[in-house]
Amino acid sequence: MKGKVKPLLTQGKLPRHIIVIMDGNGRWAKRKGLDRISGHKEGMKSVKSLIKASRQLGIKAVTLYAFSAQNWKRPQIEVEALMQLLKEYLVKEGNRLVEREIKLNAIGRLWELPSDVYEVLSKTIEKTKSCKEMTLTLALSYGGREELIDAVKRIISQGISPEDLNEGNFSQFLYTSDLPEPDLLIRTSGEIRLSNFLLWQLAYTEIYVTKTLWPDFRKRHLIRALLNYQNRERRFGLTSDQIIRREIS
Ligand code: FPP
């Protein structure tokens, strides 16, 4: 499989932007008789593996749902552990991101993060700002509905009138204004829902759900998702014939 996968993948179109709902850390830990925090720690290994594999395969943008606006309601000990893991990741992996030419980006109500986490996040974003090979976006204190509300507030505060508003300029008010549209959403642990993630941006995104729990997710699972994606026909509301003609011309 190893030698054959890359040519197989490069024959088809790779998604430019992959987004991931990393679910199943708690269930993974429970199955092993461990506490939930051990599940998140193990999930960090999958985060590192996904970033490395995506970069190797030439994916241009990866967005991870790392902490939702609703996750603040989890037990305090779990919230603190997740913040700690995030901080550790940023401190330890910052240089590696630069080496790999990966630009760090973050979306969400970042001002709600603890100040020490916010500080190290900002420093890492600054440090990687001229990296060009891939953009890694962490969704932190992120909610899709919250993002839409924040966008509408900004639109109103800038005095934009209803007749001047369209899909193109509305998306400029979203946290993701600098990112390409997501092509592929991967969700682990078998749940088939969006969980308030990138509600506007997911309009035409292909969705791939795997039963694999996030801490077990490795490069081979990513490749499986990419191969599955490549076998789909994305029509954006058009007919198959129109898509074929568009690709030929
Ligand atoms: C969902 O599993 C996972 C999370 C809420 C957090 C995921 C975060 C990480 C793996 C660390 C993120 C850090 C970086 C740097 C990206 P769950 O706890 O909801 O699992 P369950 O549904 O099985 O209980």
Side-chain angles (χ1 to χ4, degrees):
M1 176 99 168
K2 242 184 185 171
K4 287 186 195 151
V5 160
K6 189 119 194 228
L8 207 67
L9 271 179
T10 44
Q11 274 164 20
K13 267 193 200 142
L14 276 175
R16 206 151 59 114
H17 184 187
I18 299 177
I19 63 179
V20 188
I21 301 181
M22 311 178 284
D23 196 13
N25 294 351
R27 272 161 285 171
W28 182 92
K30 198 170 182 188
R31 281 184 199 173
K32 305 245 173 223
L34 301 168
D35 57 58
R36 298 180 53 80
I37 293 168
S38 306
H40 296 314
K41 282 189 183 152
E42 201 62 24
M44 279 310 307
K45 294 184 189 163
S46 307
V47 167
K48 290 178 196 162
S49 156
L50 176 87
I51 295 168
K52 186 174 174 194
S54 302
R55 172 72 179 85
Q56 279 172 348
L57 294 169
I59 307 289
K60 286 292 167 196
V62 173
T63 297
L64 303 177
Y65 203 4
F67 193 88
S68 76
Q70 287 66 38
N71 285 156
W72 294 113
K73 295 190 199 113
R74 289 195 175 198
Q76 199 191 339
I77 188 163
E78 185 172 342
V79 171
E80 280 171 10
L82 282 166
M83 289 299 134
Q84 189 55 34
L85 277 177
L86 172 63
K87 196 173 157 188
E88 265 174 40
Y89 173 79
L90 295 168
V91 170
K92 289 192 188 152
E93 296 290 314
N95 288 340
R96 203 180 306 219
L97 291 176
V98 176
E99 274 163 32
R100 291 186 180 150
E101 280 289 315
I102 299 174
K103 177 177 172 166
L104 183 71
N105 178 37
I107 54 171
R109 292 183 169 169
L110 305 178
W111 56 91
E112 292 176 350
L113 294 171
S115 55
D116 57 333
V117 175
Y118 183 82
E119 203 174 300
V120 67
L121 178 68
S122 310
K123 276 190 187 149
T124 317
I125 289 175
E126 177 63 25
K127 193 156 128 173
T128 61
K129 71 174 184 214
S130 40
C131 296
K132 297 244 174 331
E133 288 303 319
M134 185 175 112
T135 301
L136 167 65
T137 301
L138 301 181
L140 297 166
S141 195
Y142 174 89
R145 288 184 176 179
E146 288 79 353
E147 178 180 30
L148 293 171
I149 296 283
D150 287 348
V152 172
K153 282 184 181 168
R154 286 176 59 206
I155 289 166
I156 294 170
S157 72
Q158 291 189 20
I160 292 170
S161 58
E163 58 275 16
D164 290 335
L165 198 57
N166 54 50
E167 282 182 26
N169 61 19
F170 183 82
S171 53
Q172 290 308 307
F173 288 92
L174 296 171
Y175 307 146
T176 50
S177 55
D178 292 337
L179 289 171
E181 298 256 324
D183 301 302
L184 173 64
L185 161 68
I186 300 175
R187 178 165 189 150
T188 57
S189 95
E191 313 288 350
I192 309 170
R193 56 173 171 261
L194 299 180
S195 298
N196 201 19
F197 196 35
L198 297 171
L199 297 178
W200 168 279
Q201 297 85 340
L202 279 164
Y204 290 104
T205 304
E206 296 293 325
I207 300 178
Y208 177 85
V209 176
T210 170
K211 286 215 164 94
T212 305
L213 301 176
W214 179 248
D216 292 325
F217 195 92
R218 289 293 177 272
K219 186 176 180 179
R220 65 183 183 283
H221 301 101
L222 173 66
I223 288 169
R224 226 171 271 159
L226 296 175
L227 290 172
N228 181 290
Y229 169 86
Q230 291 184 327
N231 283 324
R232 300 189 193 186
E233 183 191 48
R234 301 187 73 196
R235 302 219 307 253
F236 305 95
L238 304 180
T239 67
S240 286
D241 286 348
Q242 285 175 304
I243 295 292
I244 292 165
R245 265 184 260 128
R246 202 168 68 168
E247 281 179 1
I248 293 171
S249 64

